[in-house]
Amino acid sequence: MEGYEYQKRQVALDKNREFRIGEGKISGYASIFLGALSLLAVLAYLFPSHLTTTELRQVYDAGSLQKILKYGMYFSLFFGALTFYLRKYRRMGLAGIVLTATAFLLGGYTVPVDPVEAKRLSLGVDWLILAFLGSVIVFVSLEKLFPKYENQVILRKEWGLDLFYFCFNHLAISAILIYANYHVTHFDWAVSAEVQALIGSVPIALQLVVVILCADFVLYWEHRIFHETQYLWPVHAVHHSVQNMDWLAGSRSHFIQTFSERAMVMVPLYLLGVGETVLNLYVAFAALQAVLIHCNVGLPFGPLKYIFVTPQFHHWHHSSEKPAIDTNYSAHTILFDWLFNTMHFPREHWPAKYGTTGKFPQSYLGQTLYPITALLKKL
Ligand SMILES: [Zn+2]
Ligand SMILES: [Zn+2]
């Protein structure tokens, strides 16, 4: 935007939240997280029809995952003992050991894996564990190797709140899928056998491109409507209330938004009628990109940034600076923002400020009720 003075974002190092090697804080958190995940995993092995996801079970082998669980449990104990030895964060070490000991008492990594009776509605504990481990390994590593803001700590302000959103979004996966599958039945009238046959006749790579573009078109408009409709904005504002961008920030989303987004994106997938391979490729691409674009990652991405939505592009969407308000709605490619003239992408600059322009509640309940409280204030 001409005449706008871009500023550099300043991030001060928060010494109280920083991880320093040798203090015991890193091993303490590692022990607690591995202990909690192990306990959840053992519970999922004990009650698979209630705590695992039917669609996801077809993709992984529960037997081999027990080997990973075994390592997770022993590493939790090891980190717990190390934390004890380093003294300062003993309570965290103890908590990690207690969690893992409970997992051992419940059967540990030796719970027999039997055929599972599929339930329509279940909690996606397996999805939560796999996504959490995968995200930490891939995205936290990327953030440490190529940080945009080196001073930004992993346990930044409000990380606990966003972890809560992360857990909710993953645990609710089967409810979301049930809703999305019900929602698409309203579009039965638009199904065309000719279109589906045509899509099925082209190479997989081209099918994937078509799926990405169609999904992007729907997500662009869904997103834009949430921004530009007075009564819907408070729902979406929850996603915009994060003030520090990282791998966890994108999880913050009002549940109405989460359900709406997944249900809407299901429509083009359903109408195109693509096969399982393309569908799985798209879901993996979309899930990884959704996390990546929120990451504290300063990678330049070269010519890819002129095609795909990258962290810099989506960080501008989260900026509270005037020229960036209500811009960059796209989820996958930058095409529709360019086409519909809603793009704000100064190549040399990154935002100086993130978040909403006004004050925003900082608790889960406050944010969930925000659409109602914002409405009441207007009356
Ligand atoms: Zn938005
Ligand atoms: Zn976002």
Side-chain angles (χ1 to χ4, degrees), residues 215-229 232-233 235-237 239-240 252-253 257 260-262 264-265 293-294 309 313-318 324-333 336-337 342:
D216 211 14
F217 179 80
V218 172
L219 288 171
Y220 173 92
W221 282 106
E222 196 252 8
H223 192 174
R224 189 165 171 177
I225 288 165
F226 266 99
H227 270 258
E228 296 178 4
T229 311
L232 286 177
W233 165 249
V235 174
H236 183 59
H239 181 63
H240 281 269
R252 190 182 301 188
S253 161
Q257 172 98 63
S260 148
E261 202 174 275
R262 307 283 178 92
M264 287 312 294
V265 81
I293 60 176
H294 292 94
V309 173
F313 187 90
H314 193 67
H315 276 226
W316 271 115
H317 177 69
H318 278 265
I325 304 275
D326 295 341
T327 62
N328 297 10
Y329 295 119
S330 293
H332 302 318
T333 74
F336 297 109
D337 275 305
T342 49

Side-chain angles (χ1 to χ4, degrees), residues 293-313:
I293 60 176
H294 292 94
C295 275
N296 172 26
V297 161
L299 276 172
F301 287 96
L304 287 178
K305 69 167 177 273
Y306 299 107
I307 303 170
F308 295 106
V309 173
T310 52
Q312 189 187 8
F313 187 90

Side-chain angles (χ1 to χ4, degrees), residues 4-293:
Y4 185 76
E5 225 169 282
Y6 291 101
Q7 277 169 8
K8 240 184 141 102
R9 178 173 166 80
Q10 303 295 335
V11 181
L13 182 66
D14 189 339
K15 292 237 181 262
N16 294 325
R17 292 170 177 268
E18 190 194 11
F19 279 140
R20 280 179 294 266
I21 291 172
E23 277 189 343
K25 200 166 159 186
I26 302 174
S27 57
Y29 273 105
S31 178
I32 288 182
F33 274 107
L34 287 173
L37 290 178
S38 302
L39 182 56
L40 282 174
V42 173
L43 289 171
Y45 276 106
L46 287 170
F47 309 105
S49 57
H50 295 283
L51 301 181
T52 63
T53 320
T54 313
E55 292 79 2
L56 195 60
R57 272 201 307 272
Q58 293 158 0
V59 187
Y60 65 76
D61 172 32
S64 352
L65 284 184
Q66 275 183 322
K67 291 194 191 92
I68 298 177
L69 171 60
K70 179 173 157 184
Y71 284 113
M73 293 176 82
Y74 284 119
F75 270 115
S76 168
L77 292 179
F78 167 75
F79 285 127
L82 181 65
T83 312
F84 241 76
Y85 169 76
L86 294 168
R87 304 178 77 97
K88 204 172 160 190
Y89 293 94
R90 276 185 163 174
R91 273 192 201 170
M92 293 180 78
L94 185 66
I97 290 171
V98 168
L99 285 166
T100 310
T102 315
F104 267 112
L105 284 174
L106 291 172
Y109 51 85
T110 58
V111 174
V113 181
D114 297 322
V116 185
E117 179 208 341
K119 283 243 182 331
R120 233 168 91 75
L121 187 64
S122 63
L123 282 179
V125 172
D126 51 350
W127 177 221
L128 169 66
I129 298 170
L130 294 170
F132 183 81
L133 281 177
S135 300
V136 168
I137 293 168
V138 175
F139 296 111
V140 176
S141 306
L142 271 180
E143 290 187 338
K144 288 289 135 194
L145 288 170
F146 313 101
K148 175 62 196 159
Y149 303 109
E150 247 171 82
N151 279 348
Q152 187 173 304
V153 289
I154 297 177
L155 301 185
R156 43 89 179 161
K157 232 176 122 212
E158 298 185 342
W159 71 271
L161 176 65
D162 292 335
L163 181 64
F164 187 86
Y165 277 104
F166 182 94
C167 294
F168 177 88
N169 295 348
H170 288 85
L171 290 175
I173 182 78
S174 96
I176 293 169
L177 287 174
I178 289 173
Y179 174 67
N181 286 328
Y182 157 74
H183 178 256
V184 289
T185 57
H186 295 121
F187 294 83
D188 275 341
W189 55 271
V191 173
S192 149
E194 288 84 38
V195 171
Q196 294 194 348
L198 182 69
I199 296 291
S201 67
V202 302
I204 294 249
L206 190 56
Q207 289 187 37
L208 187 61
V209 172
V210 173
V211 167
I212 290 174
L213 289 176
C214 293
D216 211 14
F217 179 80
V218 172
L219 288 171
Y220 173 92
W221 282 106
E222 196 252 8
H223 192 174
R224 189 165 171 177
I225 288 165
F226 266 99
H227 270 258
E228 296 178 4
T229 311
Q230 209 194 118
Y231 295 107
L232 286 177
W233 165 249
V235 174
H236 183 59
V238 172
H239 181 63
H240 281 269
S241 67
V242 275
Q243 291 178 358
N244 292 285
M245 299 287 281
D246 65 2
W247 71 279
L248 209 48
S251 302
R252 190 182 301 188
S253 161
H254 196 283
F255 75 91
I256 294 177
Q257 172 98 63
T258 308
F259 275 73
S260 148
E261 202 174 275
R262 307 283 178 92
M264 287 312 294
V265 81
M266 198 73 122
V267 177
L269 301 177
Y270 177 68
L271 295 183
L272 291 171
V274 288
E276 212 172 301
T277 316
V278 177
L279 203 64
N280 288 343
L281 284 171
Y282 170 72
V283 170
F285 166 78
L288 291 172
Q289 192 188 22
V291 181
L292 179 70
I293 60 176

